[in-house]
Every structure is written in structure tokens, then in C-alpha cells.
Amino acid sequence: MQRVQKIIKCKITDLTNVKEAQLSSEFKNVQTLLQLEKEGLDFLPLYKNLQLHSANRQQALRFYKRIDANKDYPVSVRKDLIKIEEKNNKLAKYWCRIPVRGRRGGLWVAIKPHQDFPEKFEFGESKVFRKKNHKGRWNWWIYITVVRQVQIKESYSNILAIDLGSKVTATVCGSFDNRPIFLGREVRGIRRHYQYLRTQLGRKKLLKKIRQMSDKEQRRVNDILHKISKHVVETAEHTDSYIVLGDLKGIRNSTGEKGRMFRRIVSNMPYLRLTQYVEYKAREKGIKVVRISERNSSVTCSRCGCADRGNRKSQGLFRCRSCGFEINADVNGVRNILKFSGGYMLPERAASDPAPERAFSAQPELPCLRR
Ligand SMILES: [Zn+2]
């Protein structure tokens, strides 16, 4: 069993004026409390008499240690004090109870979650805060952490291998089908585009603009990464595969591949985030993810298994010194990952060739495969 934690983002809707005032007062008093605490003014009567639910007060003091004067801090709601009810009434499907001072039994508010709540779960910590909408009015939100126990499957029919590269974000190949697919090709272009814009703006010292643009870039890239990871995990689900990921360290350590420009692109590539998204989404569905070292997958020939440092001809194309095999470098990488994990044997491989396993070291235990 594995613990899967998820944050369900809920907009608080249809607040009456009275309820909004109570929520607002609780929120503002948390800010006051933290400011007083920060300035060491906890001896003031104001500090002691702040109208705050006692648990909310404790949570705030416990969680927020370093206080930034220009920031608002959410009301942190203890997991045993929050409650959700599926009421399905005219106003909303879900209602949520938030503890506030001066309202016995808590404040019941209608919420609109960005996705349905799972059938069985436990609560984690939740956070109540406000955001300004484009009309300049406050919208209230509660982010609810739900915790589930998921059974990770132990046996599978197939393997889905993923190679993370710089040219295409992910090359994916399953043991059920030897045609690889390329996902996230557009990421590199997006990153280069913004890098160019930043350089242009940097000359004019438009720092605020640069920051805004970086946020936008981040959002666009993240969006693509979420789509890729969703696709990968759904494919694994449909094909009853476990997922093998080439571990990142190999790429990070590789040098001498066209100098600074190349290294900058590589180190900025969102590998880590993609890996995390895939691992997270897979765990939610009970699918196992195994990481294997990628160090040699780029220099090993996926046909003859020869692992020679001199094998990689260029960024895009792999050429084997010993058998002359030429193939797209990302495809070669993903085939090696798949091959190593035991699910894939190219028909070209002769029985006398060295086993590709030799090229990899210290690999984790792999789940069992049903044949
Ligand atoms: Zn070869």
C-alpha cells in the first residue's frame, strides 16, 4: 500500500455577507497574529484577545515560522476539524465546514472543487485563502488535502519505457509495440523563444516584464508536461504496463556535447518535473514506476549491445562503431531502457552478442512480468 496525497482546489461559492464577514475576519486575524508574533509583540492584550478559532491560531503559529510582511498567509485548518458533505442541493454538490471563531459548529460553505472527491479518503491539512479576481473583488478558496491508500500492482503484462531527452521531451516505447512515440517536441521551441525574448528585454532592463514572461513560460511548459504525463500513465493503464524511466543523473552528468549552449538547455529542461508528474499520476492509479540509470543508454547500441563512449555520433543520430547501426538517438535510448528492463528484444540481435544488461549497473528490482 502506498499513500497518495492530493490537493483538491475548491472555490468557495455563494457566500452570504455574514459568512463572508466571518471568514474574512478569521483570515485577517491570522495575518495580524503573525505580524505581532514576528515583531515580538505577543505581550500586547491585542495579541491575546484576537478573535481566532483556537485551533486556527495554533496551526498558524506552528506552520508559519518566517513571516514576510508583504504576504498573506492562509488559514490552516486542522484535518480533524474539516468536514465535507455531499448535499447535491440547488446551490452546490459539495459543502464544507470550516472552523471559525464565533460560529458554533463551524461555518458551512458551498464549494466548487476542480474535481470530484474520491470515494474513500482521509483529510490532510487544508488551507483557506483569498485571491483577487479580475474585477478587483475577493474570491475565497479552500485547498483541501485528501489522503488515500493505494494498492500498487505487482504483476503486469507489459512495460512502458520513457527516455527523457533534450530534443523531444519524452520518447516513449512499449514492449507491446516497438514503434516509439515522441511527446513534448514543442517544449524546446517554447523555451528557446522565451530565452530570446528575455535577452532582448534584458538589454532594456525591463525586469518586471521578464518576470511575468517567465511565469507565462512556466505555465505553458507545465501544461505540456501535465499532458505528457497523463498520456503516459493512461497508456500504461490501458496496456497493463509498469513504467520504466531513464534516470536523470545520466544526462546531467554528460558533458562535451556542444558546449555551454547545449548544457544550459539541458540543465533547464524540466526533466525533474516530468518525472515527478509521471510518478505521481502512476501512483494514483496503482502503477509501479521504476527508475533505471540512463548513463549508458545513450552510448549503448540498441541492436548489438556494444557500449562504447565513441558510439554517439551527434545529438540527433546514433551510430554504432561496431555494427554500423544508425538510428535516431532518442529511439536508441528508449529501446535500451526497454531492453534492459527485460521486455524487448530486437529481432536483429544475434545470440552471441554481449547482453545489453552489462552496460547498466546497480539497477533496482523490477516487477514481475506475465508472459
Ligand atoms: Zn551496434
Side-chain angles (χ1 to χ4, degrees), residues 15 18 32 38 57 71 73 98-99 124 136 170 172 194 197 216 219 232 246 271 282-283 308-309 314 316 338 346:
L15 272 178
V18 176
T32 312
K38 186 196 173 203
R57 173 192 283 259
K71 228 178 108 182
Y73 291 85
I98 301 166
V172 181
Y194 280 97
L197 291 180
K216 199 172 170 195
R219 277 199 302 275
V232 165
Y271 296 118
R283 195 162 58 222
D308 184 336
R309 286 269 144 206
S314 72
L338 195 51
L346 276 177

Side-chain angles (χ1 to χ4, degrees), residues 16 24 79 144 266 276 282 328 332 342 353 370:
T16 61
S24 187
K79 57 185 176 189
I144 300 171
V266 167
Q276 285 166 343
N328 171 305
N332 186 60
D353 289 338
R370 281 196 300 268

Side-chain angles (χ1 to χ4, degrees), residues 167-281:
K167 215 172 190 177
V168 272
T169 302
T171 311
V172 181
C173 190
S175 58
F176 44 87
D177 174 10
N178 63 9
R179 278 166 309 175
I181 54 164
F182 304 102
L183 299 168
R185 273 188 160 130
E186 60 275 46
V187 170
R188 187 146 127 148
I190 291 173
R191 296 179 66 82
R192 282 199 162 151
H193 171 69
Y194 280 97
Q195 187 58 46
Y196 169 76
L197 291 180
R198 264 194 296 274
T199 323
Q200 296 300 318
L201 286 170
R203 293 203 179 107
K204 295 177 194 157
K205 294 205 163 51
L206 294 167
L207 290 174
K208 196 182 164 196
K209 254 261 150 74
I210 293 180
R211 214 169 300 137
Q212 283 173 351
M213 227 160 48
S214 297
D215 289 348
K216 199 172 170 195
E217 175 189 1
Q218 183 99 346
R219 277 199 302 275
R220 279 182 69 185
V221 172
N222 265 354
D223 210 47
I224 295 169
L225 297 182
H226 272 300
K227 279 184 191 137
I228 297 174
S229 52
K230 190 168 172 233
H231 182 88
V232 165
V233 172
E234 277 173 0
T235 307
E237 194 183 18
H238 295 150
T239 55
D240 188 28
S241 306
Y242 68 87
I243 296 169
V244 183
L245 269 170
D247 208 346
L248 318 161
K249 281 177 224 126
I251 301 178
R252 289 256 165 88
N253 292 345
S254 84
T255 45
E257 292 250 24
K258 274 186 198 167
R260 230 179 69 207
M261 177 68 178
F262 175 82
R263 278 200 297 277
R264 200 190 61 218
I265 294 172
V266 167
S267 65
N268 285 341
M269 283 296 283
Y271 296 118
L272 200 61
R273 252 177 298 149
L274 183 58
T275 308
Q276 285 166 343
Y277 292 171
V278 169
E279 285 181 336
Y280 175 80
K281 290 186 170 119

Side-chain angles (χ1 to χ4, degrees), residues 65 84 114 258 329 348:
K65 294 288 180 213
I84 300 280
H114 80 290
K258 274 186 198 167
E348 301 100 305

